[in-house]
C-alpha cells in the first residue's frame, strides 16, 4: 500500500476559491514534501515541511503537518486557472528516498 | 537555474529491444533517481544512486538496470523491452539531506516510452 495517500482524488473549483488537499501516511517520517505536476510534465517542488514543524507558508500555499495523526494538508488560497495540475505528497522515510502518493487532480475553472 | 534534462520526450520501441534513457543534471547533486509513473499507481522508484558508480534498487527494479559513470549522468537501461514497460519515466536529482533525511528532488520533463 502507498505510504502517502492523497484525498480527494480529484477536486474541481472556481477561480478565487480555496483548494485543500490532504495526505495521510503510515510510518514515521523525517520530512514531507508537496509537488505539482502539470499535464504530461515533470514534477515541481512546492514545499518541504520537517517532522518538527507544524505549519509552513509559501506565497498562496499553506502546508500543515500533524505527526500524531500522520497527516498533512496543502491549502492553495485564491486559486487561479494556472493552478490546474496534479498535486502529490511525498514522504521521506528512509535515507535518500521519497515515497509518493497517487496525487490529487485539481481543476480550477476560470 | 537548476536543470535536469532527459534525452527524449517521446520514444517508441519494439518488444525485445534494448532501450537507454539518459538523464543529466547540472546541479552537482550526489543523488539521482529513476521513477516510472502509471495512471492509478503514482510514481514508483526503480533505482537510485548516491554517488558515481553506486546504485541501489528501488521498489520495482525488475527488468531494469542503471549506470552512473559520471556524477551528472544517470542512465536507465531496459535490457529487453516489454509492453508492460510502456510508461512515463521521470528522472530526478537531489543533494543529500540533513541527518539522513531527503532534500528537495528536482525532476526532468519525463520520457513517455511506448513499447510495441
Amino acid at each position: 500500500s502507498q505510504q502517502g495517500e492523497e484525498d480527494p482524488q480529484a477536486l474541481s473549483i472556481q477561480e478565487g476559491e480555496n483548494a485543500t488537499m490532504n495526505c495521510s501516511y503510515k510510518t514515521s517520517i523525517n520530512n514531507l514534501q508537496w509537488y505539482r505536476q502539470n499535464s504530461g510534465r515533470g514534477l515541481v517542488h512546492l514545499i518541504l515541511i520537517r517532522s518538527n514543524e507544524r505549519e509552513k507558508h509559501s506565497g498562496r500555499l499553506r502546508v500543515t503537518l500533524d505527526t500524531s495523526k500522520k497527516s498533512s494538508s496543502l491549502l492553495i488560497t485564491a486559486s487561479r486557472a494556472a493552478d490546474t495540475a496534479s498535486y502529490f505528497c511525498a514522504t521521506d522515510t528512509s535515507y535518500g528516498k521519497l515515497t509518493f502518493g497517487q496525487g490529487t487532480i485539481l481543476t480550477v475553472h476560470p | 537555474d537548476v536543470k535536469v534534462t532527459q534525452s527524449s520526450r517521446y520514444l517508441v520501441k519494439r518488444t525485445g529491444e534494448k532501450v537507454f534513457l539518459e538523464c543529466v543534471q547540472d546541479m552537482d547533486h550526489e543523488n539521482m533517481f529513476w521513477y516510472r509513473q502509471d495512471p492509478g499507481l503514482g510514481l514508483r522508484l526503480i533505482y537510485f544512486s548516491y554517488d558515481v558508480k553506486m546504485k541501489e534498487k528501488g521498489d520495482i527494479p525488475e527488468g531494469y538496470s542503471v549506470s552512473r559513470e559520471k556524477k551528472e549522468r544517470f542512465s536507465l537501461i531496459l535490457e529487453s523491452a516489454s509492453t508492460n514497460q510502456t510508461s512515463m519515466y521521470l528522472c530526478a536529482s537531489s543533494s543529500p539531506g540533513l541527518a539522513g533525511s531527503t532534500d528537495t528532488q528536482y525532476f526532468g520533463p519525463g520520457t513517455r516510452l511506448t513499447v510495441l
Side-chain angles (χ1 to χ4, degrees):
Chain A
S1 61
Q2 292 285 336
Q3 163 70 344
E5 294 185 6
E6 287 91 345
D7 169 55
Q9 290 187 324
L11 184 59
S12 182
I13 60 174
Q14 295 295 129
E15 252 188 342
E17 294 181 341
N18 296 340
T20 300
M21 287 158 269
N22 303 297
C23 171
S24 60
Y25 57 92
K26 294 181 172 61
T27 62
S28 61
I29 61 172
N30 295 310
N31 66 58
L32 186 145
Q33 304 181 30
W34 284 90
Y35 288 81
R36 184 186 76 202
Q37 183 180 36
N38 290 92
S39 180
R41 309 293 296 184
L43 278 71
V44 174
H45 179 259
L46 296 175
I47 287 185
L48 182 155
I49 186 164
R50 302 195 187 281
S51 59
N52 60 354
E53 297 175 310
R54 291 296 167 258
E55 189 170 311
K56 209 160 183 181
H57 296 256
S58 176
R60 294 184 296 112
L61 306 181
R62 172 179 168 251
V63 168
T64 60
L65 178 64
D66 186 334
T67 53
S68 66
K69 295 181 180 178
K70 292 186 169 60
S71 68
S72 173
S73 68
L74 170 67
L75 168 67
I76 304 173
T77 59
S79 63
R80 306 166 182 167
D83 294 327
T84 294
S86 294
Y87 292 82
F88 295 87
C89 70
T91 49
D92 165 17
T93 56
S94 61
Y95 185 77
K97 293 169 56 176
L98 288 177
T99 301
F100 287 82
Q102 294 184 23
T104 293
I105 300 171
L106 173 66
T107 303
V108 182
H109 300 280
Chain B
D1 214 10
V2 298
K3 203 158 187 181
V4 179
T5 57
Q6 295 183 229
S7 49
S8 306
R9 288 283 287 125
Y10 300 93
L11 207 53
V12 180
K13 295 292 182 180
R14 297 280 178 192
T15 301
E17 280 193 78
K18 190 169 186 175
V19 181
F20 293 87
L21 302 182
E22 305 284 340
C23 175
V24 178
Q25 50 97 1
D26 65 0
M27 295 165 282
D28 201 34
H29 283 162
E30 285 81 359
N31 301 343
M32 295 188 76
F33 308 83
W34 275 107
Y35 297 89
R36 63 177 283 177
Q37 183 178 23
D38 302 287
L41 296 176
L43 273 77
R44 294 179 291 168
L45 182 64
I46 305 171
Y47 267 97
F48 59 107
S49 169
Y50 293 138
D51 204 346
V52 177
K53 297 194 186 295
M54 294 184 70
K55 60 184 179 184
E56 297 284 342
K57 292 180 180 179
D59 300 317
I60 51 164
E62 296 78 18
Y64 304 94
S65 62
V66 291
S67 172
R68 192 157 180 210
E69 296 296 318
K70 293 185 177 181
K71 190 175 186 180
E72 67 271 17
R73 189 179 298 268
F74 192 35
S75 303
L76 180 69
I77 304 155
L78 287 65
E79 294 289 342
S80 178
S82 63
T83 55
N84 63 13
Q85 292 178 310
T86 291
S87 186
M88 169 73 102
Y89 289 87
L90 293 162
C91 174
S93 71
S94 75
S95 297
L98 299 174
S101 67
T102 300
D103 208 348
T104 299
Q105 291 191 8
Y106 295 88
F107 282 81
T111 295
R112 189 166 294 280
L113 173 67
T114 301
V115 183
L116 302 175

